[in-house]
Amino acid sequence: MRDSRVIELAKLLVHHSCRVQPGENVLIDLFGEGRELVLALIEEIYRVGGYPHVQLHDQLVHRQLLLGTSEPHVHLWTDYSVYKMKQMDCYIGVRGSNSDAELQDVPDEKLKQYMRTFSHQVHSEQRVKNTKWVVLRYPSSSFAQMADMSTPAFEDFYFRVCNLDYERMSLAMDALVKRMEQADKVHIVGPGTDLQFSIKGIPVVKCAGEFNIPDGEVFTAPVKDSINGVITINTPSPYAGTVFEQVRFELVDGKITTASANKTERINQILDTDEGARYIGEFSLGINPYIDHPMKDILFDEKIHGSFHFTPGQAYEEADNGNRSAIHWDLVSIQRSDYGGGEIYFDGECIRRDGLFVVPDLEPLNPENLK
């Protein structure tokens, strides 16, 4: 008998996230574990009159492909994947294992080639722009270990985080969207952070279960050349098979001029991927009331309540500041008092202190009001 929580999640993805309509083609893209969810998704898609399509991936197989790939191979790989994506109306990406470490020994140039070509054309250009899409992680024993929980405890946490009332969250987000749309200057302060920039004229997007599950963020982008100051990231951040800690950037007129971390040489290699990698493509506030601490998984960590994230690389088309890059790396900093505190100011007014919104119109976004 299928877990009722899995059925509830499948319904959320089909009806709320992708709004699948009769006759639409839906690509279910599974990496690793999560077949129970795939089966529930197939049933629910058929139930609404859609047509499910399934891709199954294995990270060790993916690693072996990358080790021997070449430019002609990546281009053909990309071409047929773009063709397939063009046939789809909806995309549900299920990430059922956290095995980025499997790619750690793939040569940097191979990874860059794959990201510049396949990831950019298939996902950034075709999927994101032309389908109704949602991406989510799925619980596994390795994922539970990362969260320092038993597998049953992590599953309970996972479904509580994912199957929340996104309609309620969406309504509460409207006030923050309005504030950000009206704001010009943003000032972020905290331990090791004193950063100023403008968001004037950049669109603001609320995320309440349409593109990510779990969800809970409102994002925009800084005016590209407006950022000045220093930022210190207080959570571990995996990227391209490496976990980075103690990340610190100095920015002058929007550009990361100095970058350091526990692996300084490697972080600078990533930031030298292309010209846009040293500029910022996203600024976002996290508000999911059930996510308290980092798990080294960005789909969860970027939604931590009381956090913000700053993103070297590609800007989203919905909130576009003109920055272009093959990378998009969300770096999360938590400002709650248990992480050292901090404040965010819009045009000189403090709107959030130590992770809690302190102005009346935004207080509905605090955790006690969203649970």
Side-chain angles (χ1 to χ4, degrees):
M1 186 174 180
R2 192 158 295 133
D3 190 327
S4 62
R5 301 172 302 179
V6 175
I7 295 172
E8 182 182 355
L9 179 57
K11 289 181 177 179
L12 175 70
L13 295 168
V14 171
H15 295 278
H16 176 77
S17 301
C18 287
R19 306 173 304 284
V20 178
Q21 302 300 309
E24 289 189 329
N25 290 301
V26 185
L27 179 59
I28 305 168
D29 207 11
L30 175 65
F31 293 76
E33 301 174 42
R35 294 193 179 205
E36 185 178 16
L37 176 59
V38 171
L39 295 174
L41 284 167
I42 292 170
E43 289 180 2
E44 194 61 30
I45 292 165
Y46 276 139
R47 188 171 288 116
V48 301
Y51 301 116
H53 305 264
V54 178
Q55 287 184 160
L56 304 178
H57 302 271
D58 181 280
Q59 198 76 335
L60 280 174
V61 173
H62 187 57
R63 170 187 173 274
Q64 201 67 39
L65 283 168
L66 289 175
L67 284 173
T69 196
S70 61
E71 187 171 347
H73 177 244
V74 170
H75 279 287
L76 181 58
W77 189 359
T78 299
D79 287 346
Y80 74 68
S81 298
V82 167
Y83 174 80
K84 179 186 288 186
M85 196 68 76
K86 283 182 176 180
Q87 316 311 309
M88 299 299 133
D89 302 287
C90 308
Y91 173 92
I92 301 174
V94 183
R95 309 298 190 254
S97 61
N98 185 16
S99 49
D100 276 355
E102 301 292 357
L103 305 182
Q104 196 161 16
D105 58 352
V106 175
D108 192 52
E109 188 48 46
K110 300 283 188 183
L111 278 174
K112 287 182 179 179
Q113 187 177 57
Y114 177 79
M115 290 161 61
R116 282 193 304 260
T117 307
F118 185 96
S119 296
H120 180 70
Q121 293 183 34
V122 176
H123 293 283
S124 298
E125 291 298 316
Q126 185 58 41
R127 169 176 65 84
V128 171
K129 293 181 179 180
N130 298 291
T131 70
K132 296 178 288 183
W133 61 271
V134 62
V135 175
L136 68 154
R137 295 279 281 115
Y138 197 73
S140 64
S141 56
S142 61
F143 200 7
Q145 185 177 28
M146 285 175 51
D148 198 25
M149 297 182 189
S150 69
T151 301
F154 180 74
E155 288 178 351
D156 288 341
F157 162 77
Y158 172 87
F159 287 109
R160 186 168 64 250
V161 164
C162 292
N163 289 337
L164 56 78
D165 187 346
Y166 286 109
E167 296 293 341
R168 180 181 178 185
M169 175 185 282
S170 180
L171 289 173
M173 285 175 165
D174 288 339
L176 181 55
V177 171
K178 183 178 179 181
R179 284 257 182 181
M180 293 173 73
E181 286 175 339
Q182 294 175 345
D184 178 2
K185 302 296 184 184
V186 178
H187 188 190
I188 304 177
V189 295
T193 296
D194 190 344
L195 199 65
Q196 298 189 55
F197 54 92
S198 173
I199 56 173
K200 185 176 182 179
I202 308 292
V204 180
V205 180
K206 63 177 180 178
C207 300
E210 291 87 358
F211 302 111
N212 287 167
I213 296 291
D215 217 344
E217 64 169 301
V218 177
F219 75 87
T220 184
V223 174
K224 184 176 175 180
D225 60 358
S226 71
I227 313 165
N228 287 282
V230 60
I231 181 172
T232 300
I233 302 299
N234 62 6
T235 67
S237 181
Y239 194 83
T242 301
V243 176
F244 295 90
E245 300 186 57
Q246 298 96 44
V247 174
R248 182 181 184 276
F249 295 152
E250 294 178 15
L251 297 100
V252 177
D253 296 335
K255 185 176 183 178
I256 300 170
T257 55
T258 304
S260 62
N262 60 327
K263 302 191 179 195
T264 295
E265 182 178 355
R266 179 68 181 124
I267 200 171
N268 279 283
Q269 287 175 346
I270 292 170
L271 294 174
D272 288 335
T273 297
D274 50 41
E275 184 179 354
R278 285 189 177 268
Y279 287 85
I280 303 301
E282 181 188 357
F283 162 61
S284 182
L285 299 178
I287 59 165
N288 190 299
Y290 292 110
I291 309 179
D292 299 317
H293 306 292
M295 298 185 297
K296 299 180 186 176
D297 185 277
I298 195 58
L299 288 181
F300 281 72
D301 293 357
E302 69 179 359
K303 315 304 188 323
I304 293 170
H305 69 88
S307 74
F308 71 90
H309 61 267
F310 226 50
T311 306
Q314 178 79 12
Y316 285 119
E317 189 173 273
E318 306 96 308
D320 197 358
N321 69 352
N323 198 42
R324 297 292 175 265
S325 176
I327 77 165
H328 180 93
W329 183 8
D330 295 319
L331 290 158
V332 179
S333 194
I334 304 172
Q335 291 192 300
R336 300 196 314 267
S337 57
D338 52 330
Y339 280 83
E343 296 88 40
I344 295 179
Y345 296 84
F346 288 171
D347 295 324
E349 179 183 12
C350 182
I351 60 104
R352 199 177 75 178
R353 176 177 290 113
D354 296 342
L356 292 175
F357 292 101
V358 294
V359 289
D361 57 314
L362 300 184
E363 287 177 356
L365 289 170
N366 286 331
E368 66 273 15
N369 298 319
L370 286 179
K371 287 186 177 180

